[in-house]
Amino acid sequence: MHLAAQAGVRYAMKNPMSYVNSNIAGFVNLLEACKTANPQPAIIWASSSSVYGLNKKIPFSEKDRTDQPSSLYAATKKAGEEIAHTYNHIYGLSITGLRFFTVYGPWGRPDMVYFFFTKNILKRKPVMIFEGPNHATVARDFTYIDDIVKGCLAALDTAKKSTGSGGKKKGAAQLRVFNLGNKSPEPVGKLVSILEKLLKVKAKKIVLPMPANGDVLFTHANVSLAQRELGYKPTTNLQTGLKKFVRWYLDYYSDSGKKSAV
């Protein structure tokens, strides 16, 4: 299972080559190693909901167009999907891509909105909530880490063997892409309201127009394919997931501990 990547939409504007090096060159390096292995492994890897880019059809389905990326990060993940197709076709590698939708929970990335909003609310610092044109709501299909892990394990359990050997294809191999989301987009403003209640602190909210940094207005996963093929059924709503995250956060960054939220 290949989960390593340079993640995040905004940082791609500051350091684009880190995305090319990790998400494209790094992925090719992994596939090169796998193609010559004997036996070849089956590969499960992390794509992203970002590949849907400027797609307006909702909810996002695996059959929808993904040729309009709105960020370099999205473009590198789309490139990864095309590269996966190539190595599957030429070398017989069994490859499954998982399009994760806004994963959150304990041990998450500090640059994710739920994480740094929690930090800022506790430190009585402002939280910036973006809105689209004409005050349109920004919403995300927040998906709790436990549900994502279940989807990853199901993908592993159902992966078929690669058909190549020593870099030579011996037959058609499995090639799959699945959405792993919560199929329930929530406004970012609701996330802030839930955090306020859980932290028992009123947030200093600042509403601003969404900057032109590659972010999209909404994400919404259609998970019917994953449900049918993997038995994937997300069960954690935003309230429950954030409650678990806040409990972890307060314990991890407790005054008695040695950790500091930076």
Side-chain angles (χ1 to χ4, degrees):
M1 175 163 281
H2 173 52
L3 301 178
Q6 177 64 63
V9 169
R10 300 178 188 89
Y11 185 61
M13 297 182 69
K14 296 181 179 179
N15 190 359
M17 289 309 300
S18 68
Y19 288 77
V20 175
N21 292 336
S22 295
N23 300 351
I24 298 179
F27 190 34
V28 170
N29 287 337
L30 179 138
L31 294 174
E32 280 291 305
C34 290
K35 83 174 188 185
T36 56
N38 193 8
Q40 290 178 336
I43 301 165
I44 314 295
W45 73 286
S47 183
S48 170
S49 63
S50 295
V51 299
Y52 290 109
L54 303 178
N55 176 45
K56 300 298 183 184
K57 175 183 168 293
I58 54 173
F60 299 159
S61 172
E62 290 87 349
K63 292 183 179 180
D64 292 343
R65 63 185 300 180
T66 54
D67 60 349
Q68 296 177 299
S70 63
S71 67
L72 179 63
Y73 169 65
T76 61
K77 284 299 185 179
K78 171 62 176 175
E81 292 189 356
E82 299 303 320
I83 291 167
H85 179 277
T86 301
Y87 275 77
N88 167 270
H89 173 68
I90 297 176
Y91 301 110
L93 285 172
S94 170
I95 306 177
T96 301
L98 303 176
R99 294 173 177 171
F100 296 152
F101 281 72
T102 316
V103 184
Y104 73 101
W107 303 99
R109 286 174 21 223
D111 65 311
M112 294 286 283
V113 65
Y114 73 93
F115 204 113
F116 67 76
F117 273 10
T118 299
K119 172 188 170 184
N120 286 0
I121 290 172
L122 286 172
K123 293 193 172 188
R124 275 64 174 180
K125 292 183 178 180
V127 296
M128 292 180 288
I129 302 174
F130 296 124
E131 61 181 14
N134 300 316
H135 306 290
T137 300
V138 174
R140 291 289 180 271
D141 201 344
F142 296 103
T143 313
Y144 191 64
I145 183 60
D146 288 8
D147 291 321
I148 291 292
V149 169
K150 291 176 183 176
C152 290
L153 292 175
L156 284 168
D157 290 341
T158 57
K160 295 182 179 179
K161 293 181 179 180
S162 292
T163 63
S165 178
K168 294 183 179 180
K169 179 180 178 179
K170 296 183 179 180
Q174 185 182 57
L175 181 66
R176 305 181 297 176
V177 174
F178 295 108
N179 288 338
L180 293 187
N182 201 45
K183 62 180 183 180
S184 180
E186 301 280 9
V188 174
K190 181 178 178 180
L191 176 139
V192 175
S193 297
I194 293 173
L195 287 175
E196 286 179 316
K197 294 175 182 176
L198 292 172
L199 298 170
K200 297 180 173 59
V201 178
K202 188 70 174 176
K204 297 179 179 178
K205 292 175 279 191
I206 299 177
V207 180
L208 297 170
M210 178 180 282
N213 59 8
D215 261 331
V216 294
L217 197 60
F218 60 87
T219 59
H220 185 181
N222 178 340
V223 299
S224 58
L225 180 63
Q227 183 174 343
R228 183 170 66 251
E229 300 292 330
L230 306 178
Y232 174 75
K233 292 183 180 180
T235 59
T236 312
N237 62 34
L238 187 59
Q239 173 76 35
T240 301
L242 286 177
K243 184 176 181 180
K244 293 179 179 180
F245 166 72
V246 166
R247 186 185 301 126
W248 169 84
Y249 186 97
L250 294 176
D251 177 67
Y252 190 79
Y253 295 111
S254 63
D255 293 335
S256 59
K258 296 182 180 180
K259 317 290 191 308
S260 62
V262 294

